[in-house]
């Protein structure tokens, strides 16, 4: 064989070896891409090669393959994100084509913008050319009435600046940002809503600004460039919805284009089609208010298995913790566990039963369902906390702002399913346990407030944290008494927080919305009853002023003398009126004569047996203990008050 042939063979072998080496370097990264591994996992092949002592050129090939694989992974992640955004824009465009009601279209846009950006609130304002300002048109997540009715002058506030300059503006702390003009009206509305970080983008028709679309959080937040661009896309769709027939035609054309694009995507990738299916199902569940068990049922159909949502203590602890740390579903025997977590907090788990063989696409589906479940749970928690805050704010306004408009108070109460025209009782509640330190005491008070808020929500009432305890405003059912309500509330709150809770109740208050002064007085009365219970050692109990006899006259805010007399000697009064007897006069004389029947008969000029018979009748009407020292004092006070009341009558 000639030397030329030998050299050619050597070169061919070298090329073949290099290709094989390159293919060997790429293989583990292709496997990682196929199963959707995290970015950290791409270091593993390099570390294994280093541990095996491979030559330097092998490391170079691995590093090159790793860099290419990470680029591909980043591209895939970007495409998935764009797929979600495209899907949301597609759904909004579909609404524009199918809905004729402008308000419904705008509401759908604001809802989706809030959901996709994950903000506390989203809202949309429109310019008013006639008045030269901009006004609030649609809100989603807002709880403050004043905020929902804001009007901004051109250039005022962040929204006015966006409307004037036709450019997006974003602030991570509204009240510390001096780039725009602050006004008392706007700042008050923003403060009522509790907003901190705000992003606003203009709604454009051609070169003309017709309004502003906002996304905002009640905490400091930095909005990313992609989120600003996405909100801008929603703003463009909102502007299209406001336009008329011509823009509606353009929207239909855009919808057709998106449908064609979706068909192309589905034709090219069965995986994307399957992911889109579960995405649509989960999105539908979220939009129609489905719960976590609805999500589990939907995923069960897609995965052709049994998927259940379980609480933390019902799931395998190690598998659940591994899923939380890794951010992926993990296998546990024949089951798959996907942790439902938010911000590092475990909320539960989705468990796929008896399905050991699970491909990466189905695993990703289970993980996505777990993420949607966590969002639903957080949304439910946020809604509950928001309602608790709103109930507390309304009760605070009743107690603090006595000049509030009763009509507005009724409207705010009706949104909470509370009727402030009904008869209510004010209850002051306080824990009676001792905490080890200030932090534990604060935590105990928060638990009491949370339990009281839940009770108020179920009873169509209000609750607020106040004066180191909790105050409740609960409706009084027909046939119920303030005492019954106080005792029942003490038992329910004590059971909820697993500690003794003492509750003092006021006398019933009619139409509290129209009588804020009466609500304030009732709260003070409830607090006095609470203090009396604690002084008497009746912790963990509930009572009203009427339960304390003559002491109730001191505790009651309105000094219900007539009620005290009626409760104490009312039966004697009615008996004398019906029978024409002299039980009251006999009882007066009996006490005046030192409770001596012999001296009493001389004072009344009757036989001693007559006195005895009358006193026996008194005992039957008032009870066998009527001559006990405490009852004697109450009866004497009632007789004296009745005489005084009779002497001042005209």
């Amino acid at each position: 064989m000639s030397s030329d042939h030998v050299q050619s063979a050597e070169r061919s072998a070298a090329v073949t070896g290099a290709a094989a080496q390159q293919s060997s370097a790429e293989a583990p990264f292709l496997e990682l891409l196929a199963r959707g591994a995290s970015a950290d996992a791409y270091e593993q092949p390099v570390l294994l090669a280093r541990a095996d002592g491979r030559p330097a050129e092998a490391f170079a090939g691995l590093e090159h393959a790793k860099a290419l694989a990470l680029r591909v992974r980043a591209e895939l992640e970007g495409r998935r994100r764009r797929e979600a955004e495209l899907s949301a824009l597609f759904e909004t465009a579909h609404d524009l084509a199918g809905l004729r009601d402008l308000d419904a279209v705008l509401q759908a846009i604001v809802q989706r913008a809030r959901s996709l950006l994950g903000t506390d609130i989203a809202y949309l304002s429109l310019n008013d050319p006639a008045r030269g300002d901009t006004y609030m048109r649609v809100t989603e997540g807002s709880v403050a009435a004043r905020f929902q009715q804001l009007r901004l002058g051109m250039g005022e506030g962040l929204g006015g600046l966006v409307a004037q300059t036709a450019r997006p503006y974003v602030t991570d702390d509204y009240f510390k940002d001096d780039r725009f003009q602050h006004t008392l009206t706007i700042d008050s509305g923003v403060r009522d809503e509790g907003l901190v970080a705000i992003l606003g983008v203009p709604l454009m028709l051609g070169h003309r600004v017709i309004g502003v679309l906002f996304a905002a959080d009640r905490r400091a937040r930095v909005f990313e460039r992609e989120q600003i661009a996405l909100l801008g896309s929603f703003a463009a769709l909102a502007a299209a919805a406001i336009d008329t027939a011509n823009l509606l035609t353009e929207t239909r054309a855009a919808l057709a284009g998106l449908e064609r694009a979706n068909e192309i995507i589905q034709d090219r990738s069965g995986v994307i089609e399957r992911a889109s299916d579960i995405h649509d199902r989960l999105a539908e569940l979220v939009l129609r208010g489905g719960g976590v068990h609805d999500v589990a049922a939907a995923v069960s159909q897609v995965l052709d298995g049994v998927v259940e949502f379980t609480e933390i203590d019902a799931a395998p602890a190690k598998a659940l913790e591994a899923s939380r740390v890794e951010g992926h579903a993990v296998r546990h025997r024949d089951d798959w566990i996907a942790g439902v977590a938010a911000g590092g907090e475990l909320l539960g788990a989705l468990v796929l039963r008896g399905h050991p063989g699970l491909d990466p696409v189905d695993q990703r589906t289970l993980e996505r369902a777990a993420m949607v479940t966590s969002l639903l749970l957080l949304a439910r928690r946020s809604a509950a906390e928001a309602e608790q805050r709103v109930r507390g704010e309304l009760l605070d306004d009743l107690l603090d702002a006595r000049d509030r408009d009763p009509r507005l108070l009724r409207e705010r109460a009706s949104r909470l399913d509370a009727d402030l025209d009904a008869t209510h009782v004010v209850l002051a509640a306080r824990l009676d346990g001792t905490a080890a330190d200030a932090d534990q005491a604060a935590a105990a008070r928060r638990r009491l407030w949370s339990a009281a808020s839940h009770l108020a929500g179920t009873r169509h009432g209000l609750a607020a944290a106040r004066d180191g305890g909790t105050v409740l405003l609960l409706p009084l059912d027909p046939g119920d008494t303030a005492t019954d309500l106080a005792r029942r509330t003490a038992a329910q709150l004590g059971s909820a927080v697993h500690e003794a809770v003492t509750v003092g109740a006021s006398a019933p208050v009619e139409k509290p919305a129209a009588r804020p002064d009466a609500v304030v007085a009732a709260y003070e009365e409830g607090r006095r009853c609470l203090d009396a219970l604690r002084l008497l050692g009746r912790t963990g109990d509930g009572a009203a002023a009427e339960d304390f006899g003559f002491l109730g006259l001191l505790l009651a805010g309105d000094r219900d003398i007539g009620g005290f007399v009626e409760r104490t000697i009312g039966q004697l009064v009615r008996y004398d009126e019906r029978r024409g007897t002299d039980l009251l006069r006999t009882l007066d004389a009996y006490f005046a004569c030192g409770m001596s029947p012999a001296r009493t008969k001389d004072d009344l000029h009757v036989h001693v047996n007559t006195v005895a018979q009358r006193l026996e009748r008194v005992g039957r009407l008032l009870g066998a203990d009527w001559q006990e020292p405490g009852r004697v004092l109450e009866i004497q006070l009632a007789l004296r008050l009745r005489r005084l009341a009779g002497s001042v009558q005209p």
Side-chain angles (χ1 to χ4, degrees), residues 468-511:
T470 301
V471 56
L472 300 95
L473 181 68
L474 299 181
L476 187 65
D477 295 332
D480 212 354
T481 67
T483 300
D484 295 335
L485 185 57
R487 289 175 178 169
R488 193 162 55 245
T489 301
Q492 291 170 335
L493 294 180
S495 176
V497 301
H498 306 293
E499 291 187 43
V501 178
T502 307
V503 177
S506 73
V509 180
E510 297 182 356
K511 298 183 176 181

Side-chain angles (χ1 to χ4, degrees), residues 165-333:
T165 63
R167 294 175 54 194
Y169 273 86
V170 61
T171 177
D172 57 0
D173 194 330
Y174 175 85
F175 290 101
K176 293 182 180 179
D177 200 329
D178 57 1
R179 292 177 299 165
F180 41 83
Q181 179 181 350
H182 289 266
T183 68
L184 179 61
T185 301
I186 299 173
D187 285 0
S188 298
V190 173
R191 187 173 288 108
D192 283 356
E193 195 63 58
L195 300 183
V196 177
I198 304 175
L199 164 62
V201 297
L203 275 64
M204 306 288 296
L205 283 180
H207 298 290
R208 180 167 58 93
V209 179
I210 63 170
V212 181
L213 180 61
F214 300 87
D217 262 344
R218 296 186 176 94
R219 59 188 183 280
R221 169 178 177 171
V222 176
F223 289 95
E224 299 177 355
R225 181 177 303 173
E226 292 81 2
Q227 294 173 321
I228 298 174
L230 180 59
L231 191 63
S233 299
F234 275 110
L237 289 175
I242 298 170
D243 209 0
T244 53
N246 185 41
L247 294 178
L248 184 59
T249 302
E250 294 180 7
T251 302
R252 285 173 176 162
L255 175 60
L258 288 172
E259 288 176 340
R260 288 193 299 272
N262 191 43
E263 290 173 359
I264 294 172
I265 292 174
Q266 290 178 350
D267 290 340
R268 292 180 179 177
S269 174
V271 173
I272 294 179
E273 181 178 359
R274 195 167 184 178
S276 176
D277 177 57
I278 187 59
H279 168 78
D280 290 343
R281 292 194 185 195
L282 296 179
E284 181 184 359
L285 284 174
V286 172
L287 290 175
R288 64 181 173 86
V292 294
H293 296 291
D294 296 322
V295 173
V299 179
S300 296
Q301 294 179 359
V302 173
L303 299 183
D304 192 22
V306 178
V307 177
E308 298 175 350
F309 173 78
T310 64
E311 303 293 341
I312 298 175
D313 53 1
K318 291 184 178 180
L320 184 58
E321 179 62 19
S323 177
R324 184 191 70 82
V325 173
E326 298 175 10
H328 294 288
V330 298
R331 182 175 172 180
H332 177 71
R333 298 176 183 171

Side-chain angles (χ1 to χ4, degrees), residues 72-73 195 200 338 445 576 601 630:
V72 172
R73 182 183 181 278
L195 300 183
R445 288 194 297 271
D576 277 353
K601 60 97 176 172

Side-chain angles (χ1 to χ4, degrees), residues 3 32 36-37 220 245 299 312 322 338 426 454 466 515 521 538 568 635 649:
S3 62
L32 291 173
V299 179
I312 298 175
V426 180
H454 177 73
R466 202 172 186 89
R515 304 175 60 211
R538 292 173 56 184
T568 307
I635 294 169
Q649 292 178 356

Side-chain angles (χ1 to χ4, degrees), residues 529-539 543 547-548 551 555:
C529 290
L530 173 63
D531 292 339
L533 283 170
R534 301 178 76 187
L535 287 172
L536 294 173
R538 292 173 56 184
T539 56
D547 301 312
F548 293 93
L551 180 59
L555 299 175

